[in-house]
Amino acid sequence: MRSIKLIFPFLFLLLPFYKSGAQTTGQEHPNVIFFIADDMTRDMFNFLPESKGANLTPNLDKLSKEGTILMGQHVSSTVCTPSRYSVLTGKYASRAHNPGFLRQTQKNDGQRVVEWNTHILPSDTSLAKILKHNGYRTGAVGKNHVIEVKDWEDIPLSADTASDRVMEQQIENYRLTVEAFQKTGFEYADGIFYENPDFNGPRALAVHNLDWTTEAALEFLQQQDDRPFFLYFATTLPHGPKEADRSWNADRRITPIGILEEAPDVLPHKSTIPERLNEAGIKVNNDNANLLWLDDAIGALIKGLKEEGLYDNTIIFFFNDHGQFAKGTVYQGATCNPSIVWKSDGFKVGHETDALVSNVDFTPTILDFANVDFTNCSFDGESFVDVLEAEEFESRESLYFEIGYSRGIRKGRYKYIALRYPEWVKELTQKDRKRILAAYNKKLKLRGRKPNNTDPTEPFGHVQIIPGGGDAEFFATKRYPNYAERDQLYDLEKDPHEKNNLADDPEYHEVLEQLKAELSEYIESLPGKFGEFD
């Protein structure tokens, strides 16, 4: 691991690099980079009609043009943590069994409420652990927000970095996070953010630093090791904070563990970002500046692969953690989430496929590419290697979704959504609603955010029991007219934006019952209750 010298006179972090497993090399065992972005919107992808090529992202464009775009890609859960859980375990997030998640389940009379609470434990079977056992070296950089970190101590935004106690705990939190990654199968972990910057410690350090994370990734690539590798690269971008001085134009010496003596020198200088956007005829704003910064990181990885002679034997997955238009719901604006798979000579299926793919499918797919036998693993996902290689395959008949107090199923042209609150939610009084909303808006204020809603009579969110929904889901409450309906059925061919609820239409009664039965099959196979479906 890098020896990090800080201006703050605190301990250096020197963690061991462990080798284990059989030596495995050659074309039969490709290197894999899984690059996961955070909260990208559809207009940030030049290959989608919402953008029409309006972004300066030459490296992402390269991946999309030379690789395969998975237009049928969906995510099973639509906020950061459970999406990452499914990616790294091949399982639906309701299978999590970390203590905090189980306590919340008990509070909800056995109903599993999937949100920012589904964590991977050292005892779990993870993608990294399986690959490591089968001769891969494994590394992780960037945002965590999914692996359980035991003994983590929360440090508020208001904390003072001049305090020895505060900074010692920041460094201890970092050490614990790296250790947690190692216990879940990652030999190497560095450039890590425990969570989004606003929840990572003092405000003075609550900035994005993609240069620092990319430097860690390049060091991993440069390690002298004959084994193939798996690198999990999770950016904190383009998630907020988006203000220039806390994102693309921030001091790149600032890290979660203090201020470096010198900024990393692995990406184009921040001053070039507005220059390059202006040269491309693109108006400079924080969104497209952060997107170009993210794209620079992809470019640095590609360059690093070439310099290390790894380019031709590496597969790159580019994945956005969920759709942003309806984040925190199971509407298509959150679940439908195109991604990219790239290798230097492309895939037989060609530039694009509409095959239905879920994020629980990534683990078995990567293991399939790595020629690792996973027949004894109980994944919810299925490999889609045959899709990419244009082989015959059995397409998914349906897709399952779970978030908060809602569940969903997509089958053919139809989408069914069920919203079920436990009894304690139904019994909340108007006084309770006011108290809950006031407490939540106070938290937003501490983060420098204005309230989204001040009306306690607004419907609760699908993820959080907050009138008008939490910060992540508030916008969906306004965009979807049937948001608070208990049962919702949509014809996605006629109504792709899910505006016309057909659940009470007698003409669609048979379709509704079929999808309810399909949803019941999924829920019965998973732990926990959900309304009348278990």
Side-chain angles (χ1 to χ4, degrees):
M1 178 176 177
R2 293 175 294 171
S3 177
I4 303 176
K5 191 173 182 183
L6 306 173
I7 288 178
F8 294 123
F10 298 114
L11 60 95
F12 294 166
L13 297 170
L14 294 172
L15 294 168
F17 173 68
Y18 297 98
K19 289 188 177 182
S20 65
Q23 292 294 311
T24 314
T25 59
Q27 292 292 324
E28 292 184 356
H29 303 282
N31 307 305
V32 177
I33 295 176
F34 195 93
F35 192 106
I36 177 170
D38 195 347
D39 279 16
M40 286 182 72
T41 53
R42 289 179 67 90
D43 60 358
M44 292 180 176
F45 293 93
N46 279 341
F47 60 80
L48 292 178
E50 289 88 344
S51 168
K52 298 179 182 178
N55 303 296
L56 183 58
T57 53
N59 297 296
L60 184 55
D61 295 348
K62 169 187 169 66
L63 298 184
S64 66
K65 289 174 183 176
E66 297 176 1
T68 297
I69 302 169
L70 304 175
M71 290 300 296
Q73 165 74 54
H74 287 66
V75 294
S76 51
S77 301
T78 57
V79 295
C80 303
T81 304
S83 177
R84 286 163 171 75
Y85 180 96
S86 294
V87 162
L88 290 171
T89 66
K91 298 179 180 181
Y92 295 119
S94 56
R95 294 197 188 277
H97 56 99
N98 53 296
F101 182 58
L102 296 182
R103 284 194 297 271
Q104 189 167 2
T105 300
Q106 187 176 17
K107 175 186 174 182
N108 286 284
D109 301 322
Q111 180 170 323
R112 296 203 161 195
V113 180
V114 173
E115 38 127 325
W116 299 270
N117 56 0
T118 56
H119 298 160
I120 298 172
L121 299 174
S123 58
D124 289 328
T125 300
S126 67
L127 173 59
K129 190 179 290 185
I130 298 171
L131 287 172
K132 178 183 175 182
H133 181 73
N134 284 275
Y136 271 69
R137 61 187 181 99
T138 54
V141 301
K143 177 177 171 177
N144 173 22
H145 213 178
V146 65
I147 292 174
E148 182 99 330
V149 181
K150 188 178 180 181
D151 298 327
W152 166 275
E153 183 176 310
D154 182 56
I155 299 175
L157 272 170
S158 58
D160 187 356
T161 54
S163 163
D164 287 358
R165 164 72 182 85
V166 167
M167 289 310 303
E168 286 169 359
Q169 188 59 50
Q170 279 290 110
I171 292 172
E172 175 64 5
N173 281 348
Y174 188 85
R175 186 193 69 78
L176 292 169
T177 305
V178 170
E179 184 179 80
F181 270 95
Q182 291 176 331
K183 288 179 178 178
T184 53
F186 291 100
E187 297 176 0
Y188 175 97
D190 198 4
I192 298 291
F193 285 80
Y194 172 75
E195 222 227 69
N196 299 321
D198 275 347
F199 303 93
N200 213 47
R203 183 178 295 277
L205 305 179
V207 303
H208 298 278
N209 193 335
L210 190 53
D211 293 49
W212 182 61
T213 294
T214 305
E215 182 182 57
L218 295 177
E219 180 177 278
F220 175 76
L221 295 184
Q222 292 161 4
Q223 289 177 344
Q224 299 301 307
D225 196 311
D226 292 333
R227 294 173 296 166
F229 71 79
F230 170 64
L231 173 63
Y232 177 73
F233 191 123
T235 76
T236 57
L237 291 169
H239 193 289
K242 297 183 179 182
E243 309 94 291
D245 61 352
R246 298 182 67 200
S247 57
W248 67 272
N249 202 34
D251 183 346
R252 296 187 183 179
R253 297 175 302 149
I254 299 174
T255 76
I257 49 174
I259 300 177
L260 306 173
E261 287 188 335
E262 295 182 0
D265 186 21
V266 295
L267 297 180
H269 193 271
K270 64 182 183 180
S271 63
T272 71
I273 289 179
E275 293 172 0
R276 286 181 285 156
L277 288 170
N278 282 323
E279 288 175 5
I282 298 174
K283 184 179 179 180
V284 179
N285 60 44
N286 291 334
D287 280 336
N288 57 41
N290 283 323
L291 187 59
L292 178 53
W293 190 15
L294 184 151
D295 191 77
D296 285 341
I298 300 172
L301 289 175
I302 293 171
K303 181 182 177 183
L305 291 172
K306 290 180 177 179
E307 290 176 347
E308 298 300 319
L310 301 167
Y311 181 79
D312 290 327
N313 193 35
T314 298
I315 297 172
I316 300 175
F317 290 78
F318 184 93
F319 172 71
N320 179 41
D321 57 357
H322 49 73
Q324 189 66 5
F325 190 77
K327 180 178 179 179
T329 76
V330 297
Y331 291 113
Q332 288 293 104
T335 61
C336 184
N337 190 47
S339 59
I340 304 166
V341 189
W342 173 95
K343 65 176 181 176
S344 61
D345 55 352
F347 295 98
K348 292 180 182 178
V349 73
H351 178 251
E352 189 174 298
T353 175
D354 292 324
L356 293 182
V357 173
S358 171
N359 59 334
V360 295
D361 297 335
F362 283 120
T363 282
T365 298
I366 291 170
L367 294 176
D368 204 355
F369 273 127
N371 283 292
V372 171
D373 183 4
F374 55 90
T375 53
N376 293 327
C377 297
S378 55
F379 296 132
D380 293 311
E382 307 165 1
S383 170
F384 57 86
V385 166
D386 285 348
V387 172
L388 296 170
E389 297 300 345
E391 304 287 346
E392 288 189 14
F393 68 96
E394 291 186 16
S395 179
R396 282 179 170 274
E397 291 187 0
S398 60
L399 289 165
Y400 167 74
F401 314 106
E402 54 181 15
I403 192 72
Y405 301 92
S406 67
R407 301 291 186 267
I409 195 88
R410 175 179 175 174
K411 189 170 185 177
R413 64 191 288 176
Y414 295 105
K415 179 83 165 276
Y416 169 65
I417 298 172
L419 179 63
R420 301 290 188 269
Y421 295 112
E423 287 303 315
W424 72 266
V425 176
K426 300 173 187 176
E427 294 170 358
L428 290 172
T429 65
Q430 188 69 7
K431 183 179 180 181
D432 293 329
R433 284 172 160 268
K434 289 180 179 179
R435 173 182 51 79
I436 291 169
L437 185 58
Y440 188 74
N441 286 338
K442 182 179 179 180
K443 290 181 180 179
L444 287 180
K445 186 176 181 180
L446 290 173
R447 292 170 52 200
R449 303 288 299 273
K450 294 181 179 180
N452 293 313
N453 173 52
T454 56
D455 182 358
T457 66
E458 287 287 298
F460 291 126
H462 287 189
V463 181
Q464 295 179 282
I465 303 303
I466 298 167
D471 195 42
E473 56 191 325
F474 168 74
F475 296 103
T477 70
K478 301 302 180 185
R479 290 168 176 162
Y480 292 88
N482 306 295
Y483 185 88
E485 295 296 320
R486 177 180 169 86
D487 294 290
Q488 302 174 38
L489 176 67
Y490 301 100
D491 182 337
L492 298 178
E493 288 188 7
K494 294 181 179 178
D495 181 25
H497 301 297
E498 296 157 297
K499 303 291 186 183
N500 183 24
N501 184 8
L502 304 171
D504 293 329
D505 189 330
E507 184 180 343
Y508 292 90
H509 176 75
E510 185 175 346
V511 174
L512 178 66
E513 293 305 310
Q514 287 176 353
L515 266 64
K516 280 187 173 184
E518 185 91 4
L519 181 60
S520 289
E521 288 187 22
Y522 278 101
I523 291 173
E524 287 170 3
S525 70
L526 295 166
K529 299 178 181 179
F530 186 75
E532 74 277 17
F533 289 93
D534 60 308

